[in-house]
Amino acid sequence: GDGSVGAQLAGADVDVVAHVGSSATGRAIALACARTGARAVLENGGNDPLIVDEGVDPAWAAEQAALGAFANAGQICVSVERIYCHAALADPFLAALTAEAGAWQDRLGPLVDRRQRDHVHSHVAEALAAGAHALTGGEVPDGQGAYYPPTVLIGCAPQMRVMREETFGPVAPVRVVPDFDIALLEAVHDDYGLAATVLTSDMAHAQAAWRALPVGTVKVNNVFGGAPGGAAQPR
């Protein structure tokens, strides 16, 4: 059912309400459970960052970024939503990521519906209007359905919605930063603490990332690795 059905279920005489979905709905469920005494188990929205550190192979990093951003057309709660790339690696990484997006072009299915596609494109269009550039994608295709192309954006600023909110589509917004410390500082400042990934050959940086990032899971050198397989050797 729709939200009205969910509201009645969440406010019913039950012991536990488990929710996977948006943060706004999760907060409404938490309020309902506070009134009834039920336990709320919530997995809400994510705006998961990916940090690409100096010293890793840019082609491998681009493969990881593309898998994280484009798998299931970006419709995964732990999809890569924003990318911070060390300036020393920016040119080869962006070239490789653009090529990866082209390879993903025929692998993607549609988004769940046109309303979601409109949401995704609104993030992209606002970023482009504010000064970002699309290396590939970024346009709604003609024809039926809800397909949206794999999109790589550069020149992204922290205040853009595509960097601040969960886009939930096949979009890889990239922000080039001067060093790892700035990447980590910007990645930390977010309202959605679900997951994060750091690609690095520096163990001290990996340790700093999992200590600083306020998320449930920090993955090291593997965008979809889960414990105990959440760490891998960098290439």
Side-chain angles (χ1 to χ4, degrees):
D2 61 12
S4 63
V5 176
Q8 291 185 55
L9 291 171
D13 183 17
V14 296
D15 294 325
V16 178
V17 180
H19 165 73
V20 178
S22 76
S23 294
T25 301
R27 284 191 289 269
I29 289 172
L31 288 172
C33 289
R35 288 190 293 267
T36 65
R39 181 185 177 192
V41 180
L42 307 175
E43 183 180 314
N44 294 334
N47 188 27
D48 298 5
L50 167 67
I51 296 174
V52 180
D53 198 8
E54 183 181 21
V56 300
D57 177 63
W60 167 74
E63 290 176 4
Q64 287 286 305
L67 176 63
F70 303 144
N72 200 38
Q75 300 169 113
I76 303 173
C77 58
V78 291
S79 290
V80 169
E81 294 278 346
R82 51 197 171 109
I83 300 170
Y84 300 93
C85 179
H86 194 294
L89 218 65
D91 288 345
F93 171 76
L94 289 169
L97 181 56
T98 303
E100 285 287 332
W104 277 85
Q105 186 85 31
D106 296 327
R107 302 183 202 171
L108 299 189
L111 298 178
V112 64
D113 55 29
R114 288 198 168 197
R115 183 176 68 171
Q116 178 60 23
R117 185 173 71 175
D118 290 344
H119 166 79
V120 170
H121 187 61
S122 72
H123 279 201
V124 173
E126 287 178 18
L128 295 175
H133 300 279
L135 296 180
T136 186
E139 297 182 353
V140 176
D142 295 329
Q144 300 296 313
Y147 179 81
Y148 198 79
T151 297
V152 178
L153 301 178
I154 59 170
C156 296
Q159 68 271 19
M160 294 176 178
R161 278 206 303 159
V162 77
M163 297 292 285
R164 290 189 297 105
E165 300 179 9
E166 185 177 36
T167 303
F168 215 64
V171 179
V174 181
R175 180 162 168 78
V176 177
V177 292
D179 54 43
F180 175 82
D181 290 339
I182 296 298
L184 184 56
L185 181 66
E186 294 198 11
V188 162
H189 289 290
D190 190 68
D191 295 329
Y192 302 89
L194 196 54
T197 304
V198 57
L199 305 180
T200 185
S201 58
D202 187 325
M203 183 53 66
H205 286 178
Q207 296 277 347
W210 72 255
R211 287 189 170 94
L213 287 160
V215 299
T217 304
V218 176
K219 295 164 283 186
V220 179
N221 296 328
N222 191 340
V223 289
F224 285 139
Q233 291 295 321
R235 294 187 188 177

